Amino acid sequence: MKVVSALAAVRHLLDTGVVRRGDTLLDSSSGIYAYALALACHRHGMRCHVVGSTTVDRTLRTQLAVLGATLEQMEPCDDLKLDQKRRVERIHEILAAHPEYHWMRQYHDDIHYLGYRRIADRIREETGTERLTVVGGVGSGASTGALTRYLRDAPGDGSGRASAGAPADVALVGVQPYGSLTFGAQHTADPEIIIAGIGSSIPFGNVSHELYDTLHWISFDAALSGAVDLLRRHAVFAGLSTGAAYLAARHEHDRAPERTVLFIAPDTGHRYTDSVYARHREATPLARLAPRDVADQAELALPWSRMPWNRTSAPPLAV
């Protein structure tokens, strides 16, 4: 998913003279972005240095090595919130020792929105923007936020003028894990949370909270059930974040069947073979799963909660 984002960001940095070929690009990642940045650096003749989460698996380590990236992986840690904090601290240590490195700041720099413009144009062509609902993990905010921002903007005709047509009706539904502070759920906890890629224990500058209409908080167990059903029903072998987004998308479509619902599947299922798919017998049939509708974060409860966000601003701790 983040390949389009990383490629466009690196290309923009080169075109604007912020970096040059041969420079080192640095960032932190729990998985997908590390691979995307390594690909972009390899393509453009850059060096890549990644501070990786404890969840980075052998397959990804091998891919990064093939692409010539340097990986510093955090020591095993039961608390993924602490893992995220340690990664950011390590970034600052590296920058202090190597001020010539460029920190990509995937969580804070909106250059990571740029690559999604082409995807938004393709979606507009294939589905239109009338009665469209976009569903996806929030994470750093780039994918769901960028797609929705571009889809809600009137497409231009090349002259800077907006082209005529029906106004966009694009709703955005974000998916979060319990414990994420991005939308005020830091007081909750999921004992098996391993979907750090769609939530955060630190403030993310890239999340445009005012773009989101609805939020779903989905537990590990419910996301596992979604991922297993997606493979069985549609032959899509995807990650845990995809299972959560699929679950939310099915529910949103059931609530408003007149709308087109598009959800983002950010990665394949290979890194989840043991942690999710080997436990397929634990999956709950989706007909037995439904969210608890809540009015505010104080009412959140596992395994699945849904709350209107209504395009309001960020909670204080998420800024």
Side-chain angles (χ1 to χ4, degrees):
M1 178 194 71
K2 292 188 177 180
V3 172
V4 293
S5 175
L7 282 172
V10 173
R11 182 73 261 169
H12 177 78
L13 291 172
L14 285 166
D15 289 346
T16 55
V18 175
V19 299
R20 296 178 297 178
R21 292 183 184 276
D23 285 353
T24 298
L25 304 184
L26 168 72
D27 216 337
S28 163
S29 174
S30 60
I32 307 173
Y33 185 76
Y35 179 59
L37 184 60
L39 283 171
C41 287
H42 181 69
R43 178 173 185 172
H44 292 295
M46 318 288 290
R47 294 184 176 89
C48 179
H49 191 128
V50 174
V51 178
S53 168
T54 185
T55 59
V56 172
D57 62 7
R58 181 174 178 271
T59 300
L60 180 56
R61 289 196 298 270
T62 302
Q63 290 173 305
L64 294 178
V66 170
L67 293 169
T70 298
L71 171 67
E72 286 190 42
Q73 187 170 4
M74 292 290 101
E75 293 296 321
C77 175
D78 293 332
D79 186 349
L80 288 185
K81 293 182 181 180
L82 179 60
D83 174 76
Q84 199 168 41
K85 181 175 181 289
R86 287 163 55 198
R87 280 189 278 137
V88 174
E89 290 173 348
R90 179 57 185 149
I91 288 287
H92 287 290
E93 291 174 357
I94 295 171
L95 288 172
H98 296 278
E100 74 278 12
Y101 286 9
H102 181 82
W103 182 17
M104 291 298 293
R105 302 175 77 245
Q106 66 148 323
Y107 303 136
H108 307 292
D109 194 329
D110 61 8
I111 63 169
H112 294 93
Y113 276 49
L114 298 175
Y116 293 103
R117 184 184 293 276
R118 285 192 346 184
I119 310 302
D121 290 343
R122 181 174 175 181
I123 293 169
R124 184 183 286 107
E125 292 171 2
E126 295 190 6
T127 71
T129 55
E130 184 180 356
R131 293 184 298 185
L132 174 66
T133 299
V134 176
V135 180
V138 177
S140 67
S143 59
T144 48
L147 283 176
T148 302
R149 181 174 291 173
Y150 292 138
L151 286 167
R152 286 175 182 166
D153 288 345
D157 60 5
S159 64
R161 297 187 302 269
S163 55
D169 171 16
V170 181
L172 177 56
V173 178
V175 179
Q176 286 270 274
Y178 290 91
S180 173
L181 66 70
T182 307
F183 285 89
Q186 65 274 6
H187 61 287
T188 63
D190 181 349
E192 292 206 73
I193 179 172
I194 59 169
I195 43 178
I198 64 171
S200 178
S201 62
I202 59 175
F204 281 175
N206 263 355
V207 179
S208 298
H209 295 75
E210 70 280 359
L211 294 173
Y212 293 82
D213 297 284
T214 305
L215 268 296
H216 286 250
W217 286 267
I218 295 178
S219 70
F220 170 87
D221 291 338
L224 179 151
S225 300
V228 169
D229 188 87
L230 186 59
L231 177 57
R232 286 174 172 163
R233 191 185 303 263
H234 299 289
V236 175
F237 181 55
L240 196 63
S241 300
T242 299
Y246 168 66
L247 200 61
R250 282 174 55 93
H251 180 78
E252 293 300 322
H253 187 264
D254 288 345
R255 291 177 71 104
E258 74 282 0
R259 299 183 67 86
T260 298
V261 179
L262 179 149
F263 78 93
I264 298 172
D267 64 348
T268 66
H270 297 87
R271 65 189 289 202
Y272 297 101
T273 301
D274 294 328
S275 58
V276 173
Y277 288 99
R279 298 170 57 177
H280 62 90
R281 291 181 181 84
E282 300 174 26
T284 301
L286 297 199
R288 289 164 46 190
L289 286 173
R292 173 181 180 176
D293 287 308
V294 302
D296 60 54
Q297 293 92 330
E299 301 174 9
L300 293 176
L302 276 68
W304 183 6
S305 297
R306 178 185 186 274
M307 188 179 88
W309 187 256
N310 300 322
R311 307 188 188 184
T312 54
S313 57
L317 292 179
V319 177

